[in-house]
């Protein structure tokens, strides 16, 4: 390693780029001191607002990678070379957020050095959401890097951002807009009308999913949902105004399957009239509860292909994950074809093209499907199990506090978090990697009985 190298340094957020000789044995904080003195009017006087980023690119054909340097590290700990690009800039940056679809865009200042999970935690704390672990973020739209054209994403197109990575690592620029979404439907049934923040987030998400067809509904149900939207957006029912012809664009109120119906608009007004006297927040709460009654509520769907037994053919299917189970569904109607409780899932694994579940003795064999969404499925299942374990631990601690004079033997259940190991499926084309261990839980409080994991 060279004792000193000449690097390019950008001074300030949008300042000039200059050359600078740095010692590889210098601490990052000392290099920042020197840069701040050199930057002059390109930076503010408060040096604590700034940090140093290194941009690297392994190959011209690959995207560049930016990394914040730790102040207590030495420069030699990073792949700094002659000609490397360093950016001395503010640690805080703006982030554009919508709390729900259609909500007004808000801009918050976030620490650019933090992982997205930390940003999410701080955001939820600021707006009053305590169960932040059940939420995540998605892009509202994508920007074509070549044309600059923005494309609005549908719920089916939106993909969860990685909370274990930073903003820059996921190309979340200052012009990007993110939407707060419920990812894990574990405790939303506990939300009441006194929690307007979560009601608004859940309502926006439910509305988006109903209109886009994520949740199949009957025409009667579509009319009820549309009536609630009219009450929320247009106020109290008025018999003189709200009659056939009032709704100019059915796409904003009903799913595509019923937009051409000749009878649904009249049915909508009949339902609308029955909502008289209800507040906006109470109707949003009713909308969420109505959505909860649907069979597909709380499910996250993944498109997969299943091999037909005895044939060299495959069929399209949906694979669903909920707080209680994993499911196979018809890809068109979303009819449930098979359900397995989460409690019987022993292991799961994925390759770039497959996803496999092991049910141990419960089902006698593996479930295997072809999909490129294996990592996302694995992450979702692991996330639900993490939430379940945390809730169980809290319940056990609360039980000890409630009955301090009683000896309560609480075992860690039989959930086995097994080490990662290869899981082979007879006849499979590849070896898959196990993400987490088995799930077959029992919590015993008095040594006489127990209950399986919900």
């Amino acid at each position: 390693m060279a004792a000193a190298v000449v690097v390019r340094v950008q001074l300030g957020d949008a300042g000039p780029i200059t050359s600078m000789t740095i010692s590889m044995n210098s601490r990052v904080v000392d290099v920042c001191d020197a840069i701040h003195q050199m930057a002059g009017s390109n930076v503010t006087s408060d040096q604590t607002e700034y940090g140093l980023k290194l941009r690297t690119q392994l190959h011209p054909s690959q995207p560049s990678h930016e990394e914040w340097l730790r102040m207590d590290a030495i420069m030699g700990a990073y792949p700094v070379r002659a000609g490397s690009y360093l950016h001395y800039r503010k640690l805080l940056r703006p982030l554009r957020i919508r709390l729900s679809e259609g909500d007004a865009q808000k801009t918050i200042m976030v620490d650019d050095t933090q992982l997205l999970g930390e940003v999410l935690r701080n955001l939820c704390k600021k707006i009053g959401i305590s169960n932040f672990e059940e939420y995540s973020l998605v892009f509202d739209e994508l920007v074509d890097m070549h044309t600059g054209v923005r494309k609005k994403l549908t719920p089916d197109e939106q993909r969860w951002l990685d909370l274990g990575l930073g903003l820059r690592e996921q190309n979340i620029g200052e012009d990007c807009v993110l939407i707060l979404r419920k990812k894990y439907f574990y405790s939303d049934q506990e939300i009441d009308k006194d929690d307007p923040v979560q009601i608004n987030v859940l309502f926006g998400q439910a509305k988006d999913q109903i209109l886009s067809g994520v949740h199949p509904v009957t025409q009667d149900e579509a009319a009820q949902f549309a009536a609630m939207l009219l009450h929320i957006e247009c106020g109290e029912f008025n018999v003189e105004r709200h009659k056939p012809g009032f709704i100019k664009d059915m796409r904003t109120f009903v799913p595509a399957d019923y937009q051409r119906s000749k009878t649904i608009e009249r049915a909508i007004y009949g339902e609308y009239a029955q909502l008289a006297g209800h507040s906006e927040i109470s109707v949003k709460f009713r909308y969420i509860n109505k959505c909860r009654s649907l069979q597909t509520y709380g499910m996250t769907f993944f498109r997969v292909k299943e091999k037909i037994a005895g044939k060299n053919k495959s069929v399209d299917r949906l694979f669903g994950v909920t707080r209680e189970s994993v499911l196979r569904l018809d890809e068109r109607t979303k009819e449930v074809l098979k359900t397995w409780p989460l409690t019987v899932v022993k292991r799961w694994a994925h390759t770039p093209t497959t996803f496999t579940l092991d049910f141990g003795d419960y089902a006698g064999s593996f479930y295997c499907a072809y999909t490129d969404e294996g990592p996302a499925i694995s992450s979702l299942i692991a996330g639900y199990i993490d939430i379940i374990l945390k809730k169980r631990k809290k319940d056990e601690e609360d039980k000890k506090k409630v009955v301090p004079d009683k000896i309560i033997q609480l075992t860690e259940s039989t959930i086995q978090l097994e080490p990662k190991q290869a899981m082979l499926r007879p006849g499979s084309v590849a070896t898959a990697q196990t993400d987490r261990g088995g799930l077959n839980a029992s919590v015993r409080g008095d040594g006489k009985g127990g209950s399986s994991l919900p």
Side-chain angles (χ1 to χ4, degrees):
M1 183 193 303
V5 294
V6 178
V7 297
R8 295 173 299 140
V9 181
Q10 182 169 359
L11 307 175
D13 290 355
I17 298 175
T18 186
S19 295
M20 178 180 181
T21 301
I22 61 171
S23 168
M24 299 303 290
N25 295 320
S26 297
R27 294 186 306 160
V28 173
V29 65
D30 296 328
V31 173
C32 288
D33 287 342
I35 294 174
H36 199 85
Q37 294 177 20
M38 181 172 58
S41 61
N42 293 296
V43 296
T44 64
S45 59
D46 189 354
Q47 187 175 332
T48 62
E49 295 180 352
Y50 291 84
L52 193 60
K53 296 187 77 172
L54 169 66
R55 180 186 296 172
T56 57
Q57 190 173 24
L58 298 178
H59 190 273
S61 63
Q62 298 178 349
S64 60
H65 171 75
E66 292 188 347
E67 177 183 12
W68 285 101
L69 308 188
R70 297 195 328 270
M71 288 295 179
D72 59 348
I74 62 170
M75 296 300 298
Y78 298 97
V80 179
R81 304 288 184 266
S84 288
Y85 172 84
L86 297 172
H87 192 179
Y88 184 69
R89 59 171 299 160
K90 285 188 175 183
L91 299 172
L92 296 181
R93 53 155 284 185
L95 180 65
R96 300 181 183 185
I97 293 282
R98 294 189 198 278
L99 297 185
S100 65
E101 186 68 34
D103 190 31
Q105 178 182 305
K106 298 176 174 59
T107 300
I108 61 174
M109 299 303 293
V110 299
D111 188 338
D112 201 26
T113 67
Q114 291 183 334
L115 300 179
L116 188 58
E118 297 174 272
V119 173
L120 175 65
R121 181 195 293 255
N122 292 335
L123 169 65
C124 288
K125 183 178 180 181
K126 184 175 182 180
I127 62 178
I129 294 179
S130 59
N131 55 331
F132 63 88
E133 68 276 4
E134 297 181 29
Y135 286 83
S136 192
L137 295 161
V138 297
F139 278 117
D140 182 28
E141 57 190 14
L142 286 183
V143 181
D144 189 297
M145 300 300 291
H146 301 291
T147 64
V149 175
R150 295 178 178 269
K151 178 183 182 296
K152 186 77 171 178
L153 298 178
T154 67
D156 279 343
E157 295 173 324
Q158 291 172 339
R159 292 294 177 264
W160 299 111
L161 293 168
D162 191 333
L163 300 184
L165 297 177
L167 298 170
R168 304 285 175 181
E169 292 174 277
Q170 302 181 77
N171 296 318
I172 305 173
E174 295 182 7
D175 61 338
C176 292
V177 180
L178 305 183
I179 303 180
L180 181 67
R181 290 283 198 192
K182 182 89 165 180
K183 182 177 182 179
Y184 300 101
F185 291 83
Y186 188 81
S187 64
D188 61 300
Q189 70 277 3
E190 301 170 7
I191 299 168
D192 57 32
K193 295 178 185 177
D194 295 326
D195 193 348
V197 173
Q198 289 203 72
I199 286 177
N200 282 317
V201 172
L202 285 173
F203 164 74
Q205 189 167 343
K207 169 190 169 185
D208 206 24
Q209 292 175 334
I210 293 294
L211 295 180
S212 64
V214 170
H215 300 307
V217 297
T218 65
Q219 180 164 313
D220 287 344
E221 289 170 333
Q224 292 168 22
F225 281 118
M228 287 185 271
L229 291 183
L230 276 173
H231 185 91
I232 292 165
E233 297 179 15
C234 304
E236 291 282 342
F237 175 77
N238 185 319
V239 69
E240 298 298 327
R241 293 179 60 230
H242 302 130
K243 50 190 176 182
F246 175 77
I247 299 176
K248 303 304 181 185
D249 188 354
M250 276 290 179
R251 293 175 299 178
T252 60
F253 291 98
V254 298
D257 289 346
Y258 307 114
Q259 288 168 8
R260 295 181 179 274
S261 170
K262 296 180 179 180
T263 60
I264 193 169
E265 187 173 7
R266 192 173 296 277
I268 291 172
Y269 297 129
E271 297 288 345
Y272 188 6
Q274 296 180 38
L275 296 172
H278 290 276
S279 67
E280 177 181 324
I281 198 71
S282 69
V283 175
K284 286 183 177 180
F285 189 65
R286 177 181 291 198
Y287 192 101
I288 295 167
N289 281 334
K290 178 69 178 175
C291 196
R292 282 182 186 145
S293 69
L294 301 175
Q295 186 180 26
T296 53
Y297 181 78
M299 289 188 193
T300 302
F301 302 104
F302 301 91
R303 298 187 183 279
V304 302
K305 288 183 178 293
E306 296 177 355
K307 186 176 181 181
I308 300 176
K311 297 183 180 181
N312 191 24
K313 294 175 62 178
S314 61
V315 61
D316 290 333
R317 287 282 183 259
L318 289 177
F319 182 81
V321 181
T322 74
R323 55 171 280 178
E324 299 176 338
S325 58
V326 291
L327 314 94
R328 293 173 57 237
L329 303 98
D330 183 274
E331 78 286 357
R332 187 177 59 85
T333 65
K334 294 183 178 173
E335 176 189 356
V336 176
L337 304 176
K338 179 72 174 179
T339 301
W340 296 279
L342 269 182
T343 52
V344 303
V345 176
K346 299 300 181 184
R347 288 181 296 273
W348 61 90
H350 67 265
T351 70
T353 57
T354 64
F355 178 77
T356 306
L357 284 169
D358 175 15
F359 303 109
D361 297 332
Y362 179 82
S365 64
F366 297 111
Y367 168 79
C368 187
Y370 298 99
T371 180
D372 60 359
E373 295 192 90
I377 301 173
S378 295
S379 174
L380 190 67
I381 294 175
Y384 268 117
I385 291 178
D386 284 341
I387 292 173
I388 291 169
L389 289 173
K390 289 175 183 176
K391 298 290 186 184
R392 170 174 298 154
K393 183 177 180 181
K394 183 178 183 300
D395 290 344
E396 291 173 352
E397 291 173 350
D398 291 345
K399 190 179 292 187
K400 288 180 179 179
K401 292 177 183 177
V402 172
V403 195
D405 57 334
K406 223 175 175 181
I407 298 176
I408 303 176
Q409 296 178 345
L410 294 172
T411 66
E412 180 54 29
S413 79
T414 57
I415 292 183
Q416 303 295 325
L417 302 184
E418 300 172 1
K420 290 188 176 182
Q421 54 182 304
M423 183 173 72
L424 294 174
R425 179 175 186 267
S428 64
V429 295
T431 300
Q433 184 72 27
T434 300
D435 282 282
R436 289 286 302 272
L439 179 60
N440 186 9
S442 174
V443 179
R444 297 186 179 274
D446 54 10
K448 295 180 181 179
S451 59
S452 61
L453 188 67

